[in-house]
Amino acid sequence: MPGVSDKRPLVIAGPCSAESEEQVMTTARQLNEEGIKIFRAGIWKPRTRPNAFEGVGSIGLPWLKKVKEHFGMYTATEVANVKHVYEALKFGVDILWIGARTSANPFAVQEIADTLKGMDIPVLVKNPVNPDIELWIGALERLNNSGIKKLAAIHRGFSVHQTCQFRNDPQWQIPIELRRRIPNLPILVDPSHICGSSELLYEVSQRAMDLDFHGLIIETHCTPEKAWSDAKQQITPAGLKVLLEKLILRHSDVDRQQSKKLEEFRSRIDKCDDELLNILEQRMQVSEEIGEFKKENEITILQTERWDTIVKKRTGMGLKKGLSEEFVSTVFAAIHQESIDHQNKVMNE
Ligand code: PEP
Ligand code: MN
């Protein structure tokens, strides 16, 4: 990846959308003054509803070229189809990214991968809008199979039906699992699209650093309040500078004494996990006994009122123990599903 050095975080910044030559050049100049090396700007914008601003299109590409020429920055833009790829390459765009709506579409990703076959260009793959790690890995594989060697992933959160404080729920366990599955793949975090508003950006960026992700892609605009897309989540280059300076970069390597202490903590965690699993095993045994009983007495597995009481009681108890309602209800939904499966197994034996 150009601009990649050992220094974390790798930062990509620039507006959600390229709007005019002036907006692009002003934002890039200010970012360049702050030492940012990679400039992002959406030329084609996938919008949820028609008639929203769908990007300036190819007329914006010479502006990106100008950013390269004037400031020596690398440029990055989103491509969603073959035409976008050809146009972006024609204007010397250095880095391409595949947006969240596109990486959810294997046909589109395959077409882009075929077009890029054997080319030496970095490609960043955003997670698909839905929380499906296999789909994300699948998109990365399609590009990898086309010989794209400079690959990285962007975690931009997931669209979920429940309301949460974020525009796109981070579900950190998914990018963490991606790193476990593909350890050498750089993963950047996109706090802008996770947050949906500028207030939470610092917190999410700090979290990304504490989870040891490689970099950040942050939407930055010379006049955010006037932005034609994603106005609420964009910050000024000066705001970006403040955010980056405030970040605390903790290191992931530990000395011998720290490592001994960590081992102690980890063995306590292992013990807790052992106990948790034993308790779950016991709980499932009880479920199977209930299953036997219901089978003999021809009672249905699911009694909705009982389930409703469990959820309410457990989330209440959890809150008293400092566990969030969301966490407790997710855990109990999974436990409940497993119990039903165990009962079901017994009833159909
Ligand atoms: C973007 O980066 O401007 C964008 C459209 O992002 P996403 O694909 O993550 O929604
Ligand atoms: Mn955007």
Side-chain angles (χ1 to χ4, degrees):
M1 284 270 300
V4 175
S5 65
D6 287 344
K7 200 173 148 278
R8 274 194 333 133
L10 165 74
V11 179
I12 302 180
C16 177
S17 307
E19 298 163 7
S20 66
E21 181 169 336
E22 199 196 335
Q23 169 251 11
V24 164
M25 292 306 283
T26 309
T27 309
R29 181 173 35 77
Q30 294 174 357
L31 286 169
N32 182 49
E33 280 164 12
E34 270 147 33
I36 302 295
K37 303 266 179 288
I38 310 178
F39 182 77
R40 65 149 283 158
I43 293 289
W44 301 280
K45 302 301 299 178
R47 302 309 296 274
T48 305
R49 304 276 302 269
N51 304 324
F53 167 62
E54 293 189 318
V56 290
S58 301
I59 56 154
L61 289 166
W63 311 336
L64 296 191
K65 196 154 173 249
K66 214 166 155 189
V67 166
K68 271 176 78 140
E69 287 162 2
H70 278 241
F71 308 118
M73 296 168 90
Y74 296 104
T75 54
T77 202
E78 171 173 349
V79 290
N81 60 34
V82 173
K83 176 187 161 244
H84 297 165
V85 173
Y86 282 128
E87 292 281 289
L89 293 177
K90 200 160 80 192
F91 286 88
V93 172
D94 300 288
I95 301 169
L96 305 177
W97 85 78
I98 297 188
R101 290 155 197 81
T102 309
S103 49
N105 177 351
F107 286 135
V109 176
Q110 191 58 53
E111 272 188 24
I112 295 171
D114 291 342
T115 312
L116 290 172
K117 205 168 183 70
M119 276 185 209
D120 181 28
I121 184 157
V123 182
L124 317 176
V125 181
K126 288 199 168 197
N127 61 264
V129 272
N130 52 324
D132 182 342
I133 190 168
E134 301 304 331
L135 203 50
W136 198 1
I137 292 178
L140 288 156
E141 278 171 344
R142 287 175 200 279
L143 289 150
N144 189 50
N145 291 346
S146 268
I148 301 296
K149 291 284 163 267
K150 294 171 187 152
L151 268 178
I154 299 178
H155 169 45
R156 49 78 79 198
F158 302 92
S159 169
V160 285
H161 62 275
Q162 310 98 305
T163 46
C164 71
Q165 64 176 147
F166 298 107
R167 175 180 176 193
N168 290 294
D169 193 6
Q171 303 197 15
W172 294 103
Q173 73 280 9
I174 295 181
I176 289 170
E177 174 62 7
L178 179 67
R179 185 166 56 198
R180 194 186 67 80
R181 301 260 295 262
I182 317 179
N184 295 325
L185 180 77
I187 304 178
L188 312 185
V189 173
D190 175 345
S192 309
H193 290 88
I194 290 177
C195 296
S197 76
S198 54
E199 297 97 70
L200 296 164
L201 285 180
Y202 170 71
E203 192 185 311
V204 169
S205 306
Q206 183 62 56
R207 174 74 77 95
M209 291 300 99
D210 288 339
L211 293 174
D212 208 21
F213 289 109
H214 290 81
L216 300 168
I217 171 163
I218 300 188
E219 286 189 340
T220 315
H221 192 291
C222 51
T223 44
E225 65 289 353
K226 293 195 186 137
W228 298 0
S229 59
D230 287 350
K232 268 181 29 211
Q233 70 195 30
Q234 303 206 57
I235 53 174
T236 58
L240 178 68
K241 183 171 184 233
V242 172
L243 184 153
L244 294 176
E245 280 174 357
K246 238 173 80 184
L247 282 182
I248 301 167
L249 295 175
R250 300 178 171 97
H251 53 93
S252 59
D253 44 326
V254 283
D255 66 27
R256 269 186 54 203
Q257 214 182 348
Q258 290 167 330
S259 140
K260 232 179 111 215
K261 192 73 200 157
L262 274 177
E263 281 310 312
E264 276 170 39
F265 285 126
R266 285 178 181 149
S267 71
R268 279 167 61 195
I269 293 270
D270 288 349
K271 200 157 159 274
C272 290
D273 287 351
D274 260 8
E275 283 172 25
L276 265 174
L277 287 168
N278 285 338
I279 293 279
L280 287 171
E281 184 189 22
Q282 282 173 32
R283 197 187 193 281
M284 294 310 149
Q285 278 160 1
V286 179
S287 292
E288 290 183 11
E289 285 174 36
I290 298 179
E292 302 274 8
F293 177 78
K294 287 183 178 167
K295 183 179 178 181
E296 278 158 26
N297 296 284
E298 298 188 339
I299 305 172
T300 56
I301 291 184
L302 182 67
Q303 268 108 24
T304 315
E305 321 81 71
R306 162 76 180 145
W307 173 231
D308 192 43
T309 324
I310 289 192
V311 175
K312 288 199 181 106
K313 271 204 178 147
R314 304 296 186 267
T315 48
M317 281 155 64
L319 278 176
K320 286 197 194 121
K321 293 179 187 295
L323 304 169
S324 74
E325 195 172 327
E326 194 192 349
F327 170 68
V328 176
S329 62
T330 310
V331 168
F332 274 92
I335 292 178
H336 186 239
Q337 183 60 53
E338 184 74 8
S339 288
I340 289 178
D341 293 347
H342 278 255
Q343 287 191 33
N344 200 30
K345 192 181 88 198
V346 172
M347 288 179 98
N348 291 308
E349 265 167 9

XYZ file of all heavy atoms in Angstrom, residues 169-227:
476
model
N -23.664 -0.360 13.031
C -23.206 -1.021 14.242
C -21.795 -1.613 14.059
O -21.576 -2.386 13.132
C -24.223 -2.143 14.550
C -24.030 -2.696 15.935
O -23.206 -2.149 16.680
O -24.692 -3.700 16.263
N -20.839 -1.260 14.917
C -19.470 -1.740 14.658
C -19.281 -3.261 14.771
O -18.450 -3.808 14.069
C -18.622 -1.014 15.700
C -19.516 -0.172 16.515
C -20.908 -0.266 15.993
N -19.977 -3.926 15.658
C -19.790 -5.386 15.805
C -18.310 -5.764 15.639
O -17.935 -6.508 14.721
C -20.666 -6.151 14.799
C -22.129 -5.786 14.948
C -23.087 -6.776 14.289
O -22.732 -7.892 13.941
N -24.329 -6.369 14.129
N -17.507 -5.249 16.551
C -16.045 -5.386 16.448
C -15.599 -6.832 16.309
O -14.528 -7.112 15.773
C -15.366 -4.748 17.668
C -15.542 -3.259 17.726
C -16.412 -2.570 18.530
C -14.845 -2.269 16.955
N -16.298 -1.218 18.291
C -15.336 -1.007 17.343
C -13.850 -2.316 15.983
C -14.879 0.198 16.797
C -13.388 -1.127 15.434
C -13.906 0.103 15.845
N -16.416 -7.760 16.830
C -15.973 -9.164 16.769
C -15.786 -9.624 15.327
O -14.990 -10.525 15.051
C -16.936 -10.085 17.548
C -18.293 -10.351 16.923
C -19.308 -9.212 17.152
O -18.966 -8.133 17.642
N -20.550 -9.441 16.776
N -16.482 -8.970 14.373
C -16.359 -9.413 12.970
C -14.994 -9.011 12.374
O -14.281 -9.876 11.869
C -17.562 -8.930 12.130
C -18.834 -9.623 12.657
C -17.349 -9.232 10.643
C -20.107 -9.272 11.932
N -14.596 -7.724 12.436
C -13.242 -7.444 11.930
C -12.135 -8.147 12.735
O -11.082 -8.474 12.178
C -13.118 -5.918 12.038
C -14.170 -5.501 12.999
C -15.298 -6.483 12.818
N -12.407 -8.399 14.009
C -11.398 -9.130 14.806
C -11.269 -10.560 14.275
O -10.174 -11.098 14.123
C -11.781 -9.116 16.315
C -11.588 -7.699 16.876
C -10.960 -10.134 17.104
C -12.140 -7.477 18.276
N -12.406 -11.148 13.944
C -12.396 -12.502 13.370
C -11.725 -12.482 11.989
O -10.985 -13.404 11.636
C -13.842 -13.033 13.274
C -14.012 -14.369 12.571
C -13.305 -15.560 13.226
O -12.765 -15.411 14.333
O -13.267 -16.633 12.582
N -11.948 -11.410 11.230
C -11.297 -11.301 9.918
C -9.777 -11.319 10.093
O -9.057 -11.981 9.344
C -11.735 -10.012 9.209
C -11.114 -9.776 7.841
C -11.594 -10.817 6.827
C -11.434 -8.379 7.315
N -9.293 -10.608 11.106
C -7.844 -10.577 11.342
C -7.321 -11.950 11.765
O -6.232 -12.352 11.397
C -7.522 -9.531 12.407
C -6.029 -9.359 12.603
C -5.724 -8.134 13.388
N -6.428 -8.166 14.645
C -6.645 -7.093 15.401
N -6.234 -5.921 15.006
N -7.270 -7.193 16.537
N -8.150 -12.672 12.535
C -7.738 -14.020 12.940
C -7.653 -14.928 11.712
O -6.744 -15.723 11.561
C -8.744 -14.587 13.952
C -8.242 -15.815 14.687
C -9.334 -16.413 15.569
N -10.428 -16.976 14.799
C -10.404 -18.165 14.212
N -9.338 -18.927 14.312
N -11.441 -18.602 13.522
N -8.643 -14.749 10.804
C -8.681 -15.625 9.623
C -7.620 -15.250 8.603
O -7.093 -16.110 7.911
C -10.076 -15.568 8.985
C -11.211 -15.995 9.924
C -11.665 -17.399 9.694
N -12.270 -17.617 8.399
C -13.572 -17.624 8.160
N -14.417 -17.412 9.145
N -14.037 -17.867 6.964
N -7.347 -13.941 8.430
C -6.331 -13.507 7.445
C -5.349 -12.565 8.167
O -5.432 -11.340 8.040
C -6.991 -12.775 6.242
C -8.260 -13.501 5.774
C -5.990 -12.634 5.083
C -8.974 -12.827 4.609
N -4.416 -13.142 8.914
C -3.598 -12.320 9.814
C -2.780 -11.227 9.129
O -2.519 -10.194 9.732
C -2.662 -13.333 10.483
C -3.286 -14.658 10.262
C -4.100 -14.574 9.013
N -2.376 -11.420 7.879
C -1.523 -10.397 7.272
C -2.271 -9.294 6.542
O -1.659 -8.408 5.959
C -0.535 -11.046 6.298
C 0.412 -11.940 7.059
O 0.777 -11.628 8.194
N 0.764 -13.070 6.468
N -3.568 -9.365 6.545
C -4.352 -8.363 5.813
C -4.468 -7.080 6.643
O -4.971 -7.107 7.767
C -5.758 -8.939 5.571
C -6.729 -8.044 4.817
C -6.403 -8.061 3.327
C -8.169 -8.524 5.048
N -4.001 -5.938 6.094
C -4.207 -4.707 6.861
C -5.713 -4.388 6.942
O -6.426 -4.569 5.962
C -3.482 -3.634 6.032
C -2.634 -4.378 5.050
C -3.289 -5.708 4.836
N -6.143 -3.939 8.088
C -7.564 -3.568 8.241
C -7.632 -2.115 8.722
O -7.037 -1.769 9.747
C -8.302 -4.486 9.240
C -8.160 -5.962 8.817
C -9.789 -4.099 9.334
C -8.821 -6.953 9.778
N -8.334 -1.304 7.939
C -8.553 0.081 8.346
C -9.965 0.182 8.924
O -10.832 -0.611 8.582
C -8.460 1.038 7.157
C -7.276 0.911 6.198
C -7.322 2.030 5.169
C -5.977 0.982 6.959
N -10.174 1.182 9.751
C -11.509 1.394 10.308
C -12.034 2.720 9.763
O -11.282 3.689 9.624
C -11.466 1.370 11.851
C -12.815 1.757 12.445
C -11.057 -0.023 12.340
N -13.314 2.735 9.425
C -13.967 3.927 8.884
C -14.934 4.460 9.950
O -16.129 4.134 9.943
C -14.715 3.511 7.605
C -15.558 4.625 6.991
O -15.815 5.631 7.661
O -15.983 4.455 5.836
N -14.422 5.253 10.894
C -15.282 5.735 11.979
C -16.423 6.602 11.451
O -17.485 6.655 12.069
C -14.348 6.569 12.851
C -12.974 6.242 12.416
C -13.063 5.811 10.992
N -16.217 7.285 10.313
C -17.253 8.181 9.796
C -18.545 7.433 9.504
O -19.629 7.846 9.923
C -16.765 8.864 8.516
O -15.515 9.447 8.729
N -18.422 6.318 8.766
C -19.640 5.585 8.411
C -20.162 4.741 9.561
O -21.337 4.400 9.596
C -19.445 4.777 7.127
C -19.341 5.671 5.924
N -18.138 6.185 5.505
C -20.293 6.213 5.130
C -18.356 6.988 4.468
N -19.651 7.034 4.218
N -19.296 4.399 10.514
C -19.788 3.711 11.715
C -20.638 4.708 12.520
O -21.756 4.404 12.918
C -18.612 3.174 12.575
C -17.934 2.005 11.853
C -19.098 2.759 13.963
C -16.711 1.434 12.564
N -20.105 5.906 12.723
C -20.757 6.862 13.638
C -21.970 7.563 13.026
O -22.986 7.728 13.685
C -19.771 7.927 14.070
S -18.410 7.265 15.005
N -21.817 8.046 11.808
C -22.912 8.800 11.198
C -22.995 10.227 11.708
O -23.767 11.024 11.199
N -22.220 10.540 12.730
C -22.182 11.935 13.178
C -20.803 12.175 13.763
O -20.131 11.237 14.225
C -23.263 12.217 14.216
O -22.870 11.682 15.437
N -20.383 13.448 13.730
C -18.986 13.709 14.067
C -18.679 13.551 15.555
O -17.535 13.317 15.922
C -18.597 15.107 13.584
O -19.509 16.038 14.101
N -19.704 13.583 16.427
C -19.400 13.560 17.870
C -18.698 12.289 18.330
O -17.906 12.318 19.252
C -20.666 13.695 18.737
C -21.440 14.975 18.591
C -22.587 14.783 17.635
O -23.534 14.084 17.995
O -22.505 15.319 16.517
N -19.075 11.162 17.722
C -18.548 9.896 18.242
C -17.228 9.471 17.596
O -16.656 8.444 17.939
C -19.588 8.787 18.010
C -20.911 8.947 18.745
C -21.975 8.043 18.146
C -20.730 8.646 20.219
N -16.747 10.301 16.646
C -15.589 9.875 15.842
C -14.347 9.558 16.669
O -13.656 8.576 16.406
C -15.204 10.985 14.844
C -16.098 11.159 13.629
C -15.561 12.302 12.775
C -16.155 9.879 12.816
N -14.090 10.415 17.667
C -12.859 10.211 18.428
C -12.904 8.872 19.169
O -11.967 8.072 19.113
C -12.617 11.357 19.419
C -11.498 11.024 20.362
C -10.185 10.990 19.904
C -11.754 10.653 21.685
C -9.146 10.603 20.742
C -10.731 10.266 22.521
C -9.432 10.248 22.043
O -8.411 9.856 22.867
N -14.036 8.647 19.829
C -14.196 7.434 20.628
C -13.986 6.170 19.769
O -13.281 5.247 20.166
C -15.634 7.484 21.160
C -15.984 6.525 22.228
C -17.492 6.673 22.523
O -17.947 7.836 22.704
O -18.173 5.642 22.536
N -14.589 6.177 18.581
C -14.483 4.993 17.712
C -13.059 4.866 17.151
O -12.520 3.765 17.041
C -15.553 5.040 16.591
C -15.312 3.981 15.535
C -16.937 4.862 17.204
N -12.431 6.001 16.846
C -11.051 5.949 16.337
C -10.119 5.401 17.415
O -9.232 4.592 17.134
C -10.567 7.343 15.930
O -11.463 7.917 15.020
N -10.332 5.861 18.650
C -9.495 5.367 19.745
C -9.706 3.869 19.932
O -8.762 3.112 20.131
C -9.823 6.132 21.045
C -8.956 5.737 22.229
C -7.478 6.034 21.990
O -7.100 7.156 21.698
N -6.631 5.013 22.091
N -10.963 3.459 19.842
C -11.258 2.028 19.975
C -10.525 1.238 18.883
O -9.936 0.189 19.131
C -12.770 1.804 19.908
C -13.210 0.351 19.881
C -13.061 -0.332 21.224
N -14.117 0.070 22.109
C -15.256 -0.607 22.281
N -15.452 -1.733 21.665
N -16.176 -0.151 23.096
N -10.551 1.779 17.659
C -9.880 1.091 16.541
C -8.389 0.937 16.840
O -7.800 -0.110 16.567
C -10.083 1.878 15.253
N -7.789 1.959 17.424
C -6.360 1.880 17.742
C -6.108 0.892 18.875
O -5.162 0.123 18.841
C -5.823 3.267 18.134
C -5.775 4.247 16.973
S -4.708 3.676 15.626
C -5.875 2.976 14.483
N -7.004 0.908 19.865
C -6.825 -0.002 20.993
C -7.015 -1.455 20.570
O -6.489 -2.363 21.201
C -7.787 0.354 22.139
C -7.341 1.643 22.832
O -6.148 1.995 22.697
O -8.174 2.294 23.477
N -7.774 -1.664 19.501
C -7.943 -3.032 18.999
C -6.851 -3.371 17.981
O -6.908 -4.388 17.309
C -9.342 -3.206 18.394
C -10.491 -3.134 19.407
C -11.844 -3.161 18.705
C -10.404 -4.276 20.411
N -5.890 -2.450 17.852
C -4.699 -2.694 17.031
C -4.981 -2.786 15.528
O -4.299 -3.512 14.809
C -4.002 -3.983 17.527
C -2.506 -3.944 17.251
O -1.974 -2.838 17.070
O -1.872 -5.020 17.216
N -5.980 -2.049 15.061
C -6.194 -1.991 13.616
C -5.173 -1.029 13.007
O -4.621 -0.179 13.701
C -7.639 -1.590 13.292
C -8.604 -2.687 13.618
C -9.477 -2.600 14.682
C -8.603 -3.858 12.864
C -10.341 -3.640 15.004
C -9.459 -4.900 13.170
C -10.326 -4.792 14.241
N -4.947 -1.205 11.686
C -3.830 -0.499 11.060
C -4.057 0.989 10.814
O -3.110 1.767 10.797
C -3.511 -1.118 9.700
C -2.909 -2.456 9.821
N -3.662 -3.589 10.042
C -1.627 -2.867 9.767
C -2.871 -4.632 10.122
N -1.629 -4.230 9.955
N -5.281 1.349 10.519
C -5.451 2.736 10.111
C -6.886 3.202 10.172
O -7.788 2.481 10.612
N -7.067 4.436 9.697
C -8.377 5.083 9.767
C -8.675 5.748 8.432
O -7.779 6.332 7.816
C -8.351 6.165 10.854
C -8.048 5.689 12.277
C -7.758 6.885 13.182
C -9.214 4.869 12.835
N -9.913 5.666 7.999
C -10.342 6.456 6.840
C -11.450 7.365 7.361
O -12.466 6.884 7.871
C -10.743 5.548 5.642
C -11.387 6.363 4.521
C -11.630 4.384 6.019
C -11.437 5.622 3.169
N -11.210 8.650 7.290
C -12.119 9.593 7.956
C -12.577 10.662 6.967
O -11.748 11.331 6.323
C -11.437 10.239 9.185
C -11.052 9.125 10.180
C -12.359 11.267 9.849
C -10.553 9.608 11.524
N -13.878 10.829 6.868
C -14.410 11.821 5.928
C -14.137 13.241 6.441
O -14.513 13.600 7.563
C -15.912 11.600 5.728
C -16.144 10.365 4.867
C -17.591 10.181 4.440
O -18.496 10.761 5.075
O -17.820 9.433 3.467
N -13.505 14.017 5.570
C -13.041 15.347 5.959
C -13.379 16.326 4.835
O -13.113 16.050 3.664
C -11.507 15.305 6.158
O -11.173 14.140 6.900
C -11.011 16.527 6.886
N -13.948 17.453 5.211
C -14.483 18.388 4.218
C -14.095 19.801 4.652
O -14.104 20.103 5.855
C -16.014 18.222 4.208
C -16.726 18.882 3.075
N -16.824 20.247 2.955
C -17.410 18.349 2.031
C -17.544 20.531 1.858
N -17.902 19.388 1.279
N -13.796 20.685 3.675
C -13.392 22.043 4.081
C -14.539 22.783 4.777
O -14.319 23.577 5.686
C -12.832 22.824 2.896
S -13.905 22.801 1.454
N -15.782 22.501 4.365
C -16.939 23.092 5.058
C -18.001 21.996 5.255
O -18.958 21.906 4.479
C -17.556 24.250 4.237
O -17.635 23.827 2.861
C -16.768 25.520 4.323
N -17.814 21.176 6.294
C -18.670 19.986 6.472
C -20.161 20.305 6.441
O -20.953 19.548 5.858
C -18.277 19.456 7.846
C -16.942 20.017 8.129
C -16.828 21.306 7.367
N -20.546 21.434 7.066
C -21.989 21.717 7.172
C -22.609 21.945 5.794
O -23.825 21.830 5.634
C -22.258 22.861 8.159
C -21.733 24.250 7.786
C -20.198 24.415 7.856
O -19.492 23.498 8.319
O -19.705 25.470 7.417
N -21.768 22.237 4.799
C -22.312 22.470 3.457
C -22.151 21.251 2.549
O -22.402 21.344 1.341
C -21.600 23.657 2.816
C -21.894 24.968 3.503
C -21.461 26.131 2.626
C -21.626 27.448 3.358
N -20.488 28.342 3.159
N -21.699 20.121 3.115
C -21.410 18.944 2.269
C -22.673 18.442 1.570
O -23.766 18.503 2.132
C -20.806 17.837 3.130
